[in-house]
C-alpha cells in the first residue's frame, strides 16, 4: 500500500467536508416558536362542620377574605391567554346554604362573583366552571384580583343536626389557564 503524505490527506478531508451536503442553518427559528402551556392550581379550600354552624348566632356563619396576588403577578398578568375557574360546593349538613365567592381588587371592590344556593343534604356536589378570556368573562377581572372573599349564610336554623356522620360543608376552587411563554 502506498503512503499518502499528511498534507494530501488533510486536503482530501477538508475538500470532503466542504463539499458535503448541509442545510442552511436558521437561527431565527426561536422567533417562530409558540409555547402555550396550561397551568393548573388549587385556589381555595374551606370546610366547616355543622356543629360550628350551629354554634354561630345569626345567619352569616362564615366570611373570610384571602389575600390572592397570583393572578396579578406580572408574568401571569402579561401572558395569560384564557382559562377556567372551577368551583365545587359539597354540603353534607342539614342546612340550606347560600355561598358567595368574590374576586376583589386592591381597594376591596368586587370585580366578579359567583353565588351558590345549596339545599340541605343529601345533595349532589355542585360544580360550576367559569371561562375567562375571549370565550368568557374579561381577563381584566383575573389580572386585577388581589383578594378572594368567601361568604356563607345559613338559611336554616341553629338546632338541626344531620343524621350523616361528620356533616360538613366543603368549598373548593381551582384554576386552569393557558399562558404564552414567548
Amino acid at each position: 500500500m502506498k503512503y499518502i503524505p499528511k498534507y494530501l490527506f488533510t486536503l482530501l478531508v477538508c475538500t470532503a467536508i466542504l463539499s458535503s451536503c448541509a442545510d442552511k442553518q436558521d437561527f431565527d427559528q426561536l422567533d417562530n416558536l409558540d409555547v402555550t402551556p396550561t397551568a393548573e392550581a388549587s385556589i381555595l379550600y374551606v370546610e366547616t362542620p355543622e356543629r360550628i354552624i350551629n354554634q354561630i348566632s345569626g345567619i352569616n356563619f362564615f366570611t373570610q377574605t384571602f389575600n390572592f396576588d397570583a393572578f396579578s403577578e406580572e408574568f401571569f398578568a402579561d401572558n395569560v391567554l384564557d382559562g377556567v375557574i372551577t368551583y365545587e360546593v359539597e354540603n353534607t349538613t342539614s342546612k340550606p346554604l347560600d355561598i358567595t365567592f368574590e374576586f376583589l381588587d386592591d381597594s376591596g371592590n368586587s370585580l366578579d362573583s359567583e353565588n351558590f344556593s345549596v339545599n340541605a343534604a343529601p345533595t349532589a356536589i355542585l360544580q360550576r366552571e367559569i371561562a375567562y378570556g375571549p370565550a368568557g368573562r374579561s381577563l381584566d377581572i383575573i389580572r386585577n384580583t388581589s383578594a378572594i372573599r368567601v361568604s356563607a349564610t345559613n338559611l336554616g336554623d341553629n338546632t338541626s343536626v344531620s343524621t350523616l356522620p361528620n356533616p360538613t360543608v366543603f368549598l373548593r376552587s381551582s384554576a386552569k389557564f393557558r399562558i404564552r411563554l414567548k
Side-chain angles (χ1 to χ4, degrees):
M1 184 168 210
K2 248 181 170 186
Y3 174 72
I4 301 175
K6 258 188 192 180
Y7 72 90
L8 187 56
F9 179 74
T10 304
L11 182 64
L12 286 172
V13 170
C14 289
T15 304
I17 290 173
L18 292 174
S19 65
S20 66
C21 296
D23 288 339
K24 182 181 176 207
Q25 296 299 308
D26 181 7
F27 294 103
D28 295 326
Q29 289 178 350
L30 183 60
D31 295 337
N32 300 328
L33 185 63
D34 188 19
V35 180
T36 54
T38 299
E40 187 170 1
S42 177
I43 297 176
L44 186 61
Y45 178 87
V46 176
E47 64 179 71
T48 305
E50 183 172 28
R51 63 181 167 69
I52 300 295
I53 298 169
N54 283 336
Q55 292 174 2
I56 297 173
S57 61
I59 60 172
N60 191 340
F61 69 89
F62 183 83
T63 298
Q64 181 74 41
T65 302
F66 301 92
N67 183 32
F68 193 80
D69 292 323
F71 291 153
S72 59
E73 185 67 35
E74 184 178 346
F75 176 79
F76 181 87
D78 290 346
N79 296 297
V80 64
L81 298 172
D82 57 29
V84 173
I85 294 184
T86 302
Y87 299 93
E88 195 173 276
V89 178
E90 180 179 2
N91 183 17
T92 63
T93 72
S94 63
K95 314 287 185 212
L97 305 170
D98 187 52
I99 299 167
T100 303
F101 292 87
E102 288 181 275
F103 291 156
L104 308 174
D105 66 11
D106 286 332
S107 301
N109 299 313
S110 181
L111 300 171
D112 195 17
S113 65
E114 273 308 303
N115 187 278
F116 294 85
S117 293
V118 184
N119 293 326
T123 60
I125 296 174
L126 296 177
Q127 187 172 8
R128 188 177 301 162
E129 292 184 349
I130 306 300
Y132 291 86
R137 297 178 184 174
S138 172
L139 280 172
D140 287 338
I141 294 168
I142 298 302
R143 290 180 181 120
N144 294 309
T145 294
S146 66
I148 298 172
R149 180 171 42 225
V150 178
S151 302
T153 303
N154 176 3
L155 302 176
D157 59 25
N158 289 75
T159 59
S160 59
V161 177
S162 174
T163 58
L164 297 172
N166 301 316
T168 306
V169 61
F170 299 93
L171 312 174
R172 302 173 191 96
S173 64
S174 62
K176 184 188 290 189
F177 283 93
R178 285 186 329 123
I179 302 167
R180 181 183 333 105
L181 291 184
K182 179 182 156 194

